[in-house]
Amino acid sequence: MSFEVLAKPLEQCDAWLTDLLAGAPLIAAFALAALLGLRHASDPDHLVAVTSLVAAGDGDVRSGVRIGAWWGLGHGLVLVGLGAPLILLRTQLPAGLAAGAEVAIGVVIVALACRVLFKWVRGGYRAGAHRHGDAVHRHVHRPDRHAEVRTGRRALALGMLHGLGGSGAVVVLLIVGLPGRFAALAALLVYAPMTMLSMALCTWAYAWVLTRPVIQPLYRQVLVPAFASFSLVFGLWYTGIA
């Protein structure tokens, strides 16, 4: 089973925008770099991993925004940390680094999917209400600060990993190839924050939809295992196992 069909249109979009970027005036180049960054969150590997992270946090809106922010921060830091030296030194990405990151991303996606499926099987996504006699007792789920910190760290680490691999690294290499160090560095400094913004918006939208009263019961009972199963298959394909 191949998921390349999902990424092909996005890769073509990136290539088209980058071609425009190469010959554009400076202001237009900044706008195109911003568009590249805003589009970046829609990559299939990003969406699959973020789906599992948000599901692990019960689809809470605030948690989703924090996950997206940490993810985007890790991603943006690596893009700048990786791209700036390449631009200044006019060199290439070390051979094998991106390929190794790709495999690691797939492994993490598989691990996240397995974690969500295990939690769902144990009943971790059921509605927080139970009946004692004639009374219905509802549990109020309070934020677990330690769990939030752990999830934030996972999102930060996964974002950094995605900065090394995936289309983010490819776009950085395309930006590095722009004529003139100043133009390339400026485009990178526009592109990286836009990827952070797009990832925060993406996870916010995903979590907001899942918390709607009409959708939430379906999410807990059907969509969580469906998304996690898809993520598991996608992660195995991404690593090259399946």
Side-chain angles (χ1 to χ4, degrees):
M1 184 176 187
S2 176
F3 292 91
E4 290 181 2
V5 66
L6 299 177
K8 198 67 176 176
L10 300 175
E11 291 173 356
Q12 291 174 344
C13 177
D14 282 350
W16 177 68
L17 287 172
T18 308
D19 286 342
L20 293 177
L21 187 67
L26 195 57
I27 298 299
F30 290 166
L32 290 168
L35 286 176
L36 277 167
L38 288 172
R39 189 221 60 76
H40 192 63
S42 60
D43 283 347
D45 55 320
H46 293 161
L47 294 177
V48 167
V50 165
T51 295
S52 295
L53 281 172
V54 174
D58 295 325
D60 176 72
V61 175
R62 290 184 179 180
S63 174
V65 173
R66 282 192 292 269
I67 287 171
W70 281 113
W71 175 293
L73 178 62
H75 193 277
L77 288 174
V78 168
L79 289 180
V80 174
L82 179 71
L86 295 179
I87 290 169
L88 295 175
L89 299 175
R90 284 299 180 188
T91 186
Q92 295 293 319
L93 194 67
L97 181 61
E102 294 278 339
V103 174
I105 289 168
V107 170
V108 172
I109 288 174
V110 169
L112 286 170
C114 290
R115 180 173 178 268
V116 172
L117 282 171
F118 181 69
K119 182 179 178 181
W120 182 80
V121 169
R122 294 185 63 189
Y125 294 97
R126 293 172 189 164
H130 63 271
R131 183 178 296 275
H132 288 298
D134 295 327
V136 175
H137 299 273
R138 296 191 178 272
H139 299 293
V140 177
H141 295 284
R142 301 183 184 279
D144 183 339
R145 297 301 178 191
H146 294 293
E148 287 182 358
V149 170
R150 287 195 300 272
T151 302
R153 286 175 179 170
R154 282 194 292 266
L156 178 68
L158 194 51
M160 295 177 74
L161 196 56
H162 274 267
L164 287 173
S167 63
V170 173
V171 173
V172 166
L173 290 177
L174 293 173
I175 290 175
V176 168
L178 292 178
R181 287 185 175 88
F182 173 76
L185 189 58
L188 177 65
L189 293 177
V190 171
Y191 171 72
M194 289 300 103
T195 65
M196 297 167 61
L197 176 60
S198 66
M199 288 174 188
L201 289 174
C202 179
T203 52
W204 168 82
Y206 176 77
W208 184 87
V209 170
L210 296 181
T211 54
R212 297 311 91 197
V214 174
I215 296 176
Q216 196 168 62
L218 178 66
Y219 165 70
R220 292 179 179 277
Q221 297 172 23
V222 179
L223 296 182
V224 165
F227 287 158
S229 299
F230 178 83
S231 298
L232 179 59
V233 175
F234 181 90
L236 291 171
W237 170 80
Y238 207 80
T239 60
I241 295 175

